[in-house]
Amino acid sequence: MSKAIIEQSGQKKKRGISMKPDTTNLLAVTERLQHEGIPYALGGSGLLHSLGLTAAVRDWDIMTDAPKEQVMKALENLTVQEARSGDYPFGSKYKLVVQSENPQVEILGSFSIHSDKGLCQLPAVPVSLWQGIHVGSPEVWYVAYALMNRKDKSDLLLHYLKEKEANKEILQRLVNEPLPDELIEVISSL
């Protein structure tokens, strides 16, 4: 596959990753969730992008703890497909794919990841706004990326959290999850 960046629909693309991400589909989803009063938080590479830590967004990950039926009703005028929430170590209750064009929007219901000690519930905690979109907790996504063994992304967020003041309340919630001892040690030091 060529490493060249090509122009596609006015957006720069490299290997299916949007270098200047289009937020049209994301806004369509978040506006409907907000209208219906459904709490959500942007996570994943979208969170990294909103913090200025990456220019590339492969997809938009939206976390919510709302029941799937409530989310489906809010998005009834959009094309929504239910997908597998992933193989181990993922343990989310559901995954919905909205607007499958890049970057697609993925809704993760009760986002969870297994550790060697049990299922870690990763809360959909909005902590800021970016372009009118509720952005999730960098602390939660540091833990998520560490549990997924995505060292490059977890290192980015760890560096960010060391430079900024980490949210102690969110860290305490995370320490109460069945995390590996070394991860508890790291987040306890923030």
Side-chain angles (χ1 to χ4, degrees):
M1 178 179 282
S2 169
K3 292 184 180 181
I5 296 174
I6 58 172
E7 289 294 324
Q8 190 175 41
S9 303
Q11 300 293 320
K12 288 186 175 184
K13 301 261 183 175
K14 182 177 181 180
R15 293 189 182 190
I17 299 173
S18 184
M19 303 301 282
K20 183 180 179 201
D22 183 349
T23 59
T24 305
N25 293 335
L26 176 62
L27 288 168
V29 170
T30 59
E31 287 170 0
R32 283 174 174 80
L33 294 176
Q34 288 176 37
H35 183 264
E36 295 298 321
I38 298 173
Y40 72 88
L42 176 65
S45 59
L47 175 138
L48 294 174
H49 181 73
S50 75
L51 297 174
L53 300 176
T54 186
V57 174
R58 189 164 139 196
D59 57 22
W60 298 111
D61 292 319
I62 298 289
M63 305 166 59
T64 185
D65 295 325
K68 177 176 66 174
E69 297 74 25
Q70 184 181 9
V71 173
M72 293 288 286
K73 185 175 183 329
L75 304 176
E76 65 188 357
N77 294 329
L78 298 175
T79 303
V80 180
Q81 297 176 342
E82 189 163 1
R84 283 184 51 167
S85 62
D87 294 325
Y88 187 88
F90 300 102
S92 301
K93 288 186 179 175
Y94 63 89
K95 178 180 175 181
L96 304 174
V97 177
V98 185
Q99 309 292 358
S100 60
E101 297 175 20
N102 285 334
Q104 71 184 14
V105 179
E106 296 181 0
I107 300 174
L108 308 169
S110 300
F111 187 43
S112 307
I113 301 175
H114 289 275
S115 75
D116 57 353
K117 291 184 168 185
L119 185 63
C120 302
Q121 304 289 329
L122 302 172
V125 181
V127 297
S128 64
L129 280 176
W130 171 75
Q131 297 187 12
I133 298 162
H134 297 267
V135 178
S137 159
E139 295 84 358
V140 167
W141 276 89
Y142 163 70
V143 168
Y145 281 133
L147 290 172
M148 289 186 259
N149 293 315
R150 294 187 182 166
K151 186 165 174 39
D152 55 338
K153 292 182 177 185
S154 66
D155 285 350
L156 275 174
L157 283 168
L158 181 58
H159 181 69
Y160 175 85
L161 290 169
K162 285 180 177 180
E163 285 188 353
K164 310 289 181 190
E165 188 171 331
N167 183 314
K168 302 296 184 191
E169 185 178 318
I170 293 172
L171 292 176
Q172 187 56 51
R173 284 179 72 178
L174 293 167
V175 166
N176 291 328
E177 292 297 324
L179 298 174
D181 292 338
E182 56 275 5
L183 192 50
I184 288 176
E185 188 177 315
V186 171
I187 62 175
S188 295
S189 71
L190 294 172

PDB file of all heavy atoms in Angstrom, residues 80-107:
ATOM      1  N   VAL A  80     -27.657   3.277  11.646  1.00  0.00           N
ATOM      2  CA  VAL A  80     -26.970   2.709  12.801  1.00  0.00           C
ATOM      3  C   VAL A  80     -26.910   1.198  12.639  1.00  0.00           C
ATOM      4  O   VAL A  80     -27.914   0.560  12.325  1.00  0.00           O
ATOM      5  CB  VAL A  80     -27.713   3.049  14.116  1.00  0.00           C
ATOM      6  CG1 VAL A  80     -26.984   2.452  15.313  1.00  0.00           C
ATOM      7  CG2 VAL A  80     -27.885   4.549  14.272  1.00  0.00           C
ATOM      8  N   GLN A  81     -25.714   0.645  12.850  1.00  0.00           N
ATOM      9  CA  GLN A  81     -25.541  -0.804  12.804  1.00  0.00           C
ATOM     10  C   GLN A  81     -24.946  -1.261  14.118  1.00  0.00           C
ATOM     11  O   GLN A  81     -24.022  -0.629  14.640  1.00  0.00           O
ATOM     12  CB  GLN A  81     -24.610  -1.201  11.663  1.00  0.00           C
ATOM     13  CG  GLN A  81     -25.131  -0.846  10.293  1.00  0.00           C
ATOM     14  CD  GLN A  81     -24.115  -1.168   9.202  1.00  0.00           C
ATOM     15  OE1 GLN A  81     -22.940  -1.341   9.458  1.00  0.00           O
ATOM     16  NE2 GLN A  81     -24.597  -1.245   7.973  1.00  0.00           N
ATOM     17  N   GLU A  82     -25.469  -2.354  14.635  1.00  0.00           N
ATOM     18  CA  GLU A  82     -24.874  -2.932  15.838  1.00  0.00           C
ATOM     19  C   GLU A  82     -23.697  -3.793  15.403  1.00  0.00           C
ATOM     20  O   GLU A  82     -23.778  -4.538  14.422  1.00  0.00           O
ATOM     21  CB  GLU A  82     -25.897  -3.755  16.608  1.00  0.00           C
ATOM     22  CG  GLU A  82     -25.374  -4.171  17.954  1.00  0.00           C
ATOM     23  CD  GLU A  82     -26.456  -4.624  18.911  1.00  0.00           C
ATOM     24  OE1 GLU A  82     -27.645  -4.645  18.537  1.00  0.00           O
ATOM     25  OE2 GLU A  82     -26.091  -4.953  20.052  1.00  0.00           O
ATOM     26  N   ALA A  83     -22.599  -3.658  16.114  1.00  0.00           N
ATOM     27  CA  ALA A  83     -21.392  -4.415  15.800  1.00  0.00           C
ATOM     28  C   ALA A  83     -20.931  -5.153  17.049  1.00  0.00           C
ATOM     29  O   ALA A  83     -21.345  -4.819  18.169  1.00  0.00           O
ATOM     30  CB  ALA A  83     -20.293  -3.462  15.319  1.00  0.00           C
ATOM     31  N   ARG A  84     -20.074  -6.119  16.845  1.00  0.00           N
ATOM     32  CA  ARG A  84     -19.463  -6.787  18.008  1.00  0.00           C
ATOM     33  C   ARG A  84     -18.673  -5.746  18.774  1.00  0.00           C
ATOM     34  O   ARG A  84     -17.983  -4.922  18.195  1.00  0.00           O
ATOM     35  CB  ARG A  84     -18.513  -7.880  17.550  1.00  0.00           C
ATOM     36  CG  ARG A  84     -19.204  -9.127  17.094  1.00  0.00           C
ATOM     37  CD  ARG A  84     -18.230 -10.201  16.758  1.00  0.00           C
ATOM     38  NE  ARG A  84     -17.288 -10.382  17.869  1.00  0.00           N
ATOM     39  CZ  ARG A  84     -16.475 -11.399  17.980  1.00  0.00           C
ATOM     40  NH1 ARG A  84     -16.457 -12.314  17.050  1.00  0.00           N
ATOM     41  NH2 ARG A  84     -15.653 -11.507  19.003  1.00  0.00           N
ATOM     42  N   SER A  85     -18.756  -5.821  20.077  1.00  0.00           N
ATOM     43  CA  SER A  85     -18.032  -4.835  20.885  1.00  0.00           C
ATOM     44  C   SER A  85     -16.560  -5.195  21.012  1.00  0.00           C
ATOM     45  O   SER A  85     -15.822  -4.538  21.719  1.00  0.00           O
ATOM     46  CB  SER A  85     -18.682  -4.665  22.254  1.00  0.00           C
ATOM     47  OG  SER A  85     -18.650  -5.869  22.976  1.00  0.00           O
ATOM     48  N   GLY A  86     -16.148  -6.214  20.294  1.00  0.00           N
ATOM     49  CA  GLY A  86     -14.734  -6.572  20.261  1.00  0.00           C
ATOM     50  C   GLY A  86     -14.457  -7.865  20.990  1.00  0.00           C
ATOM     51  O   GLY A  86     -15.243  -8.335  21.802  1.00  0.00           O
ATOM     52  N   ASP A  87     -13.332  -8.427  20.658  1.00  0.00           N
ATOM     53  CA  ASP A  87     -12.882  -9.638  21.326  1.00  0.00           C
ATOM     54  C   ASP A  87     -12.176  -9.263  22.616  1.00  0.00           C
ATOM     55  O   ASP A  87     -11.908  -8.087  22.879  1.00  0.00           O
ATOM     56  CB  ASP A  87     -11.920 -10.403  20.402  1.00  0.00           C
ATOM     57  CG  ASP A  87     -12.624 -10.930  19.157  1.00  0.00           C
ATOM     58  OD1 ASP A  87     -13.800 -11.318  19.266  1.00  0.00           O
ATOM     59  OD2 ASP A  87     -11.993 -10.940  18.088  1.00  0.00           O
ATOM     60  N   TYR A  88     -11.866 -10.273  23.400  1.00  0.00           N
ATOM     61  CA  TYR A  88     -11.111 -10.059  24.623  1.00  0.00           C
ATOM     62  C   TYR A  88      -9.887  -9.209  24.290  1.00  0.00           C
ATOM     63  O   TYR A  88      -9.263  -9.447  23.271  1.00  0.00           O
ATOM     64  CB  TYR A  88     -10.680 -11.421  25.193  1.00  0.00           C
ATOM     65  CG  TYR A  88     -10.032 -11.317  26.537  1.00  0.00           C
ATOM     66  CD1 TYR A  88     -10.793 -11.347  27.692  1.00  0.00           C
ATOM     67  CD2 TYR A  88      -8.653 -11.179  26.652  1.00  0.00           C
ATOM     68  CE1 TYR A  88     -10.203 -11.237  28.935  1.00  0.00           C
ATOM     69  CE2 TYR A  88      -8.061 -11.070  27.899  1.00  0.00           C
ATOM     70  CZ  TYR A  88      -8.838 -11.100  29.031  1.00  0.00           C
ATOM     71  OH  TYR A  88      -8.250 -10.985  30.253  1.00  0.00           O
ATOM     72  N   PRO A  89      -9.603  -8.169  25.004  1.00  0.00           N
ATOM     73  CA  PRO A  89      -9.995  -7.849  26.367  1.00  0.00           C
ATOM     74  C   PRO A  89     -11.214  -6.933  26.488  1.00  0.00           C
ATOM     75  O   PRO A  89     -11.540  -6.494  27.577  1.00  0.00           O
ATOM     76  CB  PRO A  89      -8.759  -7.132  26.905  1.00  0.00           C
ATOM     77  CG  PRO A  89      -8.252  -6.362  25.735  1.00  0.00           C
ATOM     78  CD  PRO A  89      -8.513  -7.277  24.556  1.00  0.00           C
ATOM     79  N   PHE A  90     -11.903  -6.640  25.389  1.00  0.00           N
ATOM     80  CA  PHE A  90     -13.026  -5.702  25.456  1.00  0.00           C
ATOM     81  C   PHE A  90     -14.249  -6.355  26.081  1.00  0.00           C
ATOM     82  O   PHE A  90     -14.547  -7.505  25.813  1.00  0.00           O
ATOM     83  CB  PHE A  90     -13.340  -5.149  24.068  1.00  0.00           C
ATOM     84  CG  PHE A  90     -12.177  -4.415  23.475  1.00  0.00           C
ATOM     85  CD1 PHE A  90     -11.376  -5.004  22.517  1.00  0.00           C
ATOM     86  CD2 PHE A  90     -11.852  -3.138  23.910  1.00  0.00           C
ATOM     87  CE1 PHE A  90     -10.286  -4.337  21.994  1.00  0.00           C
ATOM     88  CE2 PHE A  90     -10.762  -2.466  23.395  1.00  0.00           C
ATOM     89  CZ  PHE A  90      -9.978  -3.071  22.432  1.00  0.00           C
ATOM     90  N   GLY A  91     -14.965  -5.587  26.887  1.00  0.00           N
ATOM     91  CA  GLY A  91     -16.128  -6.122  27.585  1.00  0.00           C
ATOM     92  C   GLY A  91     -17.303  -5.164  27.615  1.00  0.00           C
ATOM     93  O   GLY A  91     -18.176  -5.291  28.469  1.00  0.00           O
ATOM     94  N   SER A  92     -17.322  -4.191  26.698  1.00  0.00           N
ATOM     95  CA  SER A  92     -18.422  -3.225  26.656  1.00  0.00           C
ATOM     96  C   SER A  92     -19.739  -3.946  26.410  1.00  0.00           C
ATOM     97  O   SER A  92     -19.773  -5.003  25.780  1.00  0.00           O
ATOM     98  CB  SER A  92     -18.182  -2.189  25.556  1.00  0.00           C
ATOM     99  OG  SER A  92     -16.965  -1.517  25.788  1.00  0.00           O
ATOM    100  N   LYS A  93     -20.841  -3.365  26.893  1.00  0.00           N
ATOM    101  CA  LYS A  93     -22.156  -3.998  26.737  1.00  0.00           C
ATOM    102  C   LYS A  93     -22.615  -4.004  25.285  1.00  0.00           C
ATOM    103  O   LYS A  93     -23.282  -4.932  24.845  1.00  0.00           O
ATOM    104  CB  LYS A  93     -23.192  -3.301  27.614  1.00  0.00           C
ATOM    105  CG  LYS A  93     -23.003  -3.591  29.081  1.00  0.00           C
ATOM    106  CD  LYS A  93     -24.119  -3.009  29.909  1.00  0.00           C
ATOM    107  CE  LYS A  93     -23.910  -3.348  31.374  1.00  0.00           C
ATOM    108  NZ  LYS A  93     -24.906  -2.711  32.232  1.00  0.00           N
ATOM    109  N   TYR A  94     -22.289  -2.935  24.540  1.00  0.00           N
ATOM    110  CA  TYR A  94     -22.675  -2.875  23.136  1.00  0.00           C
ATOM    111  C   TYR A  94     -21.785  -1.900  22.383  1.00  0.00           C
ATOM    112  O   TYR A  94     -21.096  -1.073  22.977  1.00  0.00           O
ATOM    113  CB  TYR A  94     -24.154  -2.484  22.963  1.00  0.00           C
ATOM    114  CG  TYR A  94     -24.522  -1.105  23.472  1.00  0.00           C
ATOM    115  CD1 TYR A  94     -24.423   0.016  22.642  1.00  0.00           C
ATOM    116  CD2 TYR A  94     -24.988  -0.911  24.768  1.00  0.00           C
ATOM    117  CE1 TYR A  94     -24.768   1.280  23.102  1.00  0.00           C
ATOM    118  CE2 TYR A  94     -25.329   0.338  25.228  1.00  0.00           C
ATOM    119  CZ  TYR A  94     -25.218   1.442  24.395  1.00  0.00           C
ATOM    120  OH  TYR A  94     -25.555   2.695  24.852  1.00  0.00           O
ATOM    121  N   LYS A  95     -21.825  -2.051  21.057  1.00  0.00           N
ATOM    122  CA  LYS A  95     -21.105  -1.143  20.161  1.00  0.00           C
ATOM    123  C   LYS A  95     -22.015  -0.872  18.973  1.00  0.00           C
ATOM    124  O   LYS A  95     -22.534  -1.800  18.348  1.00  0.00           O
ATOM    125  CB  LYS A  95     -19.802  -1.777  19.693  1.00  0.00           C
ATOM    126  CG  LYS A  95     -19.013  -0.920  18.714  1.00  0.00           C
ATOM    127  CD  LYS A  95     -17.725  -1.644  18.319  1.00  0.00           C
ATOM    128  CE  LYS A  95     -16.947  -0.921  17.274  1.00  0.00           C
ATOM    129  NZ  LYS A  95     -15.715  -1.655  16.909  1.00  0.00           N
ATOM    130  N   LEU A  96     -22.213   0.412  18.694  1.00  0.00           N
ATOM    131  CA  LEU A  96     -23.018   0.825  17.551  1.00  0.00           C
ATOM    132  C   LEU A  96     -22.123   1.603  16.596  1.00  0.00           C
ATOM    133  O   LEU A  96     -21.322   2.427  17.031  1.00  0.00           O
ATOM    134  CB  LEU A  96     -24.182   1.715  18.004  1.00  0.00           C
ATOM    135  CG  LEU A  96     -25.120   1.128  19.055  1.00  0.00           C
ATOM    136  CD1 LEU A  96     -26.126   2.180  19.515  1.00  0.00           C
ATOM    137  CD2 LEU A  96     -25.831  -0.099  18.512  1.00  0.00           C
ATOM    138  N   VAL A  97     -22.283   1.347  15.315  1.00  0.00           N
ATOM    139  CA  VAL A  97     -21.539   2.079  14.295  1.00  0.00           C
ATOM    140  C   VAL A  97     -22.539   2.958  13.560  1.00  0.00           C
ATOM    141  O   VAL A  97     -23.549   2.483  13.056  1.00  0.00           O
ATOM    142  CB  VAL A  97     -20.829   1.128  13.308  1.00  0.00           C
ATOM    143  CG1 VAL A  97     -20.128   1.908  12.211  1.00  0.00           C
ATOM    144  CG2 VAL A  97     -19.845   0.236  14.056  1.00  0.00           C
ATOM    145  N   VAL A  98     -22.229   4.257  13.554  1.00  0.00           N
ATOM    146  CA  VAL A  98     -23.098   5.241  12.919  1.00  0.00           C
ATOM    147  C   VAL A  98     -22.311   5.886  11.795  1.00  0.00           C
ATOM    148  O   VAL A  98     -21.173   6.303  11.994  1.00  0.00           O
ATOM    149  CB  VAL A  98     -23.548   6.328  13.924  1.00  0.00           C
ATOM    150  CG1 VAL A  98     -24.552   7.265  13.283  1.00  0.00           C
ATOM    151  CG2 VAL A  98     -24.117   5.702  15.185  1.00  0.00           C
ATOM    152  N   GLN A  99     -22.923   5.976  10.624  1.00  0.00           N
ATOM    153  CA  GLN A  99     -22.259   6.614   9.480  1.00  0.00           C
ATOM    154  C   GLN A  99     -20.905   5.955   9.253  1.00  0.00           C
ATOM    155  O   GLN A  99     -19.901   6.381   9.782  1.00  0.00           O
ATOM    156  CB  GLN A  99     -22.078   8.113   9.710  1.00  0.00           C
ATOM    157  CG  GLN A  99     -23.321   8.849  10.118  1.00  0.00           C
ATOM    158  CD  GLN A  99     -24.388   8.925   9.035  1.00  0.00           C
ATOM    159  OE1 GLN A  99     -24.202   8.449   7.929  1.00  0.00           O
ATOM    160  NE2 GLN A  99     -25.502   9.502   9.356  1.00  0.00           N
ATOM    161  N   SER A 100     -20.880   4.917   8.470  1.00  0.00           N
ATOM    162  CA  SER A 100     -19.671   4.120   8.311  1.00  0.00           C
ATOM    163  C   SER A 100     -18.594   4.773   7.444  1.00  0.00           C
ATOM    164  O   SER A 100     -17.567   4.169   7.192  1.00  0.00           O
ATOM    165  CB  SER A 100     -20.024   2.743   7.749  1.00  0.00           C
ATOM    166  OG  SER A 100     -20.652   2.882   6.491  1.00  0.00           O
ATOM    167  N   GLU A 101     -18.808   6.007   7.001  1.00  0.00           N
ATOM    168  CA  GLU A 101     -17.774   6.700   6.232  1.00  0.00           C
ATOM    169  C   GLU A 101     -16.672   7.176   7.164  1.00  0.00           C
ATOM    170  O   GLU A 101     -16.921   7.505   8.316  1.00  0.00           O
ATOM    171  CB  GLU A 101     -18.369   7.910   5.509  1.00  0.00           C
ATOM    172  CG  GLU A 101     -19.420   7.558   4.489  1.00  0.00           C
ATOM    173  CD  GLU A 101     -20.065   8.788   3.880  1.00  0.00           C
ATOM    174  OE1 GLU A 101     -19.475   9.871   3.947  1.00  0.00           O
ATOM    175  OE2 GLU A 101     -21.164   8.650   3.345  1.00  0.00           O
ATOM    176  N   ASN A 102     -15.453   7.209   6.642  1.00  0.00           N
ATOM    177  CA  ASN A 102     -14.325   7.665   7.465  1.00  0.00           C
ATOM    178  C   ASN A 102     -14.396   9.151   7.696  1.00  0.00           C
ATOM    179  O   ASN A 102     -14.616   9.891   6.768  1.00  0.00           O
ATOM    180  CB  ASN A 102     -12.997   7.309   6.787  1.00  0.00           C
ATOM    181  CG  ASN A 102     -12.684   5.843   6.912  1.00  0.00           C
ATOM    182  OD1 ASN A 102     -13.138   5.183   7.835  1.00  0.00           O
ATOM    183  ND2 ASN A 102     -11.910   5.325   5.981  1.00  0.00           N
ATOM    184  N   PRO A 103     -14.160   9.626   8.905  1.00  0.00           N
ATOM    185  CA  PRO A 103     -14.099   8.758  10.077  1.00  0.00           C
ATOM    186  C   PRO A 103     -15.495   8.404  10.577  1.00  0.00           C
ATOM    187  O   PRO A 103     -16.343   9.267  10.730  1.00  0.00           O
ATOM    188  CB  PRO A 103     -13.346   9.592  11.106  1.00  0.00           C
ATOM    189  CG  PRO A 103     -13.562  11.007  10.709  1.00  0.00           C
ATOM    190  CD  PRO A 103     -13.812  11.015   9.225  1.00  0.00           C
ATOM    191  N   GLN A 104     -15.710   7.114  10.803  1.00  0.00           N
ATOM    192  CA  GLN A 104     -17.011   6.664  11.280  1.00  0.00           C
ATOM    193  C   GLN A 104     -17.150   6.981  12.760  1.00  0.00           C
ATOM    194  O   GLN A 104     -16.172   7.266  13.443  1.00  0.00           O
ATOM    195  CB  GLN A 104     -17.200   5.177  11.028  1.00  0.00           C
ATOM    196  CG  GLN A 104     -16.368   4.265  11.902  1.00  0.00           C
ATOM    197  CD  GLN A 104     -16.553   2.801  11.514  1.00  0.00           C
ATOM    198  OE1 GLN A 104     -17.080   2.480  10.453  1.00  0.00           O
ATOM    199  NE2 GLN A 104     -16.110   1.911  12.375  1.00  0.00           N
ATOM    200  N   VAL A 105     -18.374   6.919  13.250  1.00  0.00           N
ATOM    201  CA  VAL A 105     -18.664   7.159  14.657  1.00  0.00           C
ATOM    202  C   VAL A 105     -19.011   5.819  15.286  1.00  0.00           C
ATOM    203  O   VAL A 105     -19.869   5.095  14.780  1.00  0.00           O
ATOM    204  CB  VAL A 105     -19.832   8.147  14.833  1.00  0.00           C
ATOM    205  CG1 VAL A 105     -20.128   8.375  16.309  1.00  0.00           C
ATOM    206  CG2 VAL A 105     -19.540   9.468  14.133  1.00  0.00           C
ATOM    207  N   GLU A 106     -18.324   5.488  16.372  1.00  0.00           N
ATOM    208  CA  GLU A 106     -18.592   4.261  17.111  1.00  0.00           C
ATOM    209  C   GLU A 106     -19.061   4.632  18.506  1.00  0.00           C
ATOM    210  O   GLU A 106     -18.406   5.417  19.192  1.00  0.00           O
ATOM    211  CB  GLU A 106     -17.341   3.383  17.183  1.00  0.00           C
ATOM    212  CG  GLU A 106     -16.886   2.907  15.828  1.00  0.00           C
ATOM    213  CD  GLU A 106     -15.655   2.022  15.868  1.00  0.00           C
ATOM    214  OE1 GLU A 106     -15.124   1.766  16.976  1.00  0.00           O
ATOM    215  OE2 GLU A 106     -15.214   1.583  14.795  1.00  0.00           O
ATOM    216  N   ILE A 107     -20.184   4.079  18.916  1.00  0.00           N
ATOM    217  CA  ILE A 107     -20.717   4.333  20.248  1.00  0.00           C
ATOM    218  C   ILE A 107     -20.471   3.088  21.089  1.00  0.00           C
ATOM    219  O   ILE A 107     -20.892   1.990  20.726  1.00  0.00           O
ATOM    220  CB  ILE A 107     -22.216   4.671  20.188  1.00  0.00           C
ATOM    221  CG1 ILE A 107     -22.423   5.922  19.339  1.00  0.00           C
ATOM    222  CG2 ILE A 107     -22.780   4.849  21.596  1.00  0.00           C
ATOM    223  CD1 ILE A 107     -23.856   6.271  19.077  1.00  0.00           C
TER     224      ILE A 107
END
